[in-house]
């Protein structure tokens, strides 16, 4: 499995062309055709960051923010669920350690 295929697993149900996904992968420092290394925390974190970028771009689509009413029922949950997933994925990325991190602590100076 390569990085592109792993990203497609993470963003299942989102219809984007492979060229677009390859750009997202490049922006996050990954080669689309390189083998996915599941044992590498930095590779996994980069895949999650790329999926987060895809979801944030999707959230910027105003067509998806419409409220649709079908038989006295409002369908507006898509945007809410998308934003919840973005928050969840962002939190997961922030909490992940990579191989080159030695500590969970951040030091702030005045």
């Amino acid at each position: 499995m390569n990085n592109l295929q792993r990203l497609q697993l993470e963003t299942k149900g989102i219809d984007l062309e492979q060229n677009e996904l390859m750009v997202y992968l490049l922006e996050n420092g990954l080669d689309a055709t390189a083998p996915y290394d599941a044992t590498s925390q930095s590779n996994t974190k980069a895949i999650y960051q790329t999926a987060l970028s895809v979801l944030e771009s999707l959230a910027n689509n105003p067509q998806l923010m419409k409220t649709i009413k079908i038989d006295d029922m409002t369908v507006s949950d898509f945007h809410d669920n998308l934003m919840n997933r973005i928050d969840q994925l962002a939190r997961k990325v922030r909490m992940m350690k990579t191989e080159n991190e030695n500590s969970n602590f951040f030091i702030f100076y005045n």
Side-chain angles (χ1 to χ4, degrees):
M1 174 180 287
N2 62 28
N3 287 325
L4 179 61
Q5 292 167 329
R6 177 61 182 92
L7 178 61
Q8 288 172 327
L9 281 176
E10 193 63 36
T11 58
K12 194 171 282 205
I14 297 174
D15 262 347
L16 289 177
E17 294 181 18
Q18 284 191 353
N19 291 338
E20 294 174 24
L21 292 174
M22 291 171 121
V23 169
Y24 284 111
L25 286 165
L26 283 174
E27 288 174 347
N28 285 285
L30 293 173
D31 178 19
T33 58
Y36 171 68
D37 182 8
T39 60
S40 169
Q41 291 176 342
S42 60
N43 196 337
T44 303
K45 186 174 183 176
I47 290 289
Y48 286 140
Q49 287 173 321
T50 305
L52 182 59
S53 297
V54 170
L55 292 177
E56 288 172 340
S57 293
L58 189 63
N60 286 331
N61 185 347
Q63 293 288 29
L64 300 175
M65 315 238 182
K66 290 183 180 177
T67 300
I68 301 169
K69 193 165 189 168
I70 303 172
D71 297 331
D72 297 334
M73 181 176 68
T74 304
V75 181
S76 63
D77 291 336
F78 175 75
H79 185 258
D80 295 335
N81 291 333
L82 178 63
M83 296 310 293
N84 288 339
R85 178 62 181 143
I86 288 172
D87 291 341
Q88 179 188 43
L89 196 53
R91 191 175 318 107
K92 187 174 192 172
V93 167
R94 280 194 313 270
M95 300 297 284
M96 289 180 78
K97 289 178 67 172
T98 54
E99 288 89 9
N100 56 0
E101 291 179 3
N102 295 327
S103 173
N104 289 333
F105 298 101
F106 293 99
I107 300 173
F108 294 100
Y109 294 98
N110 280 334

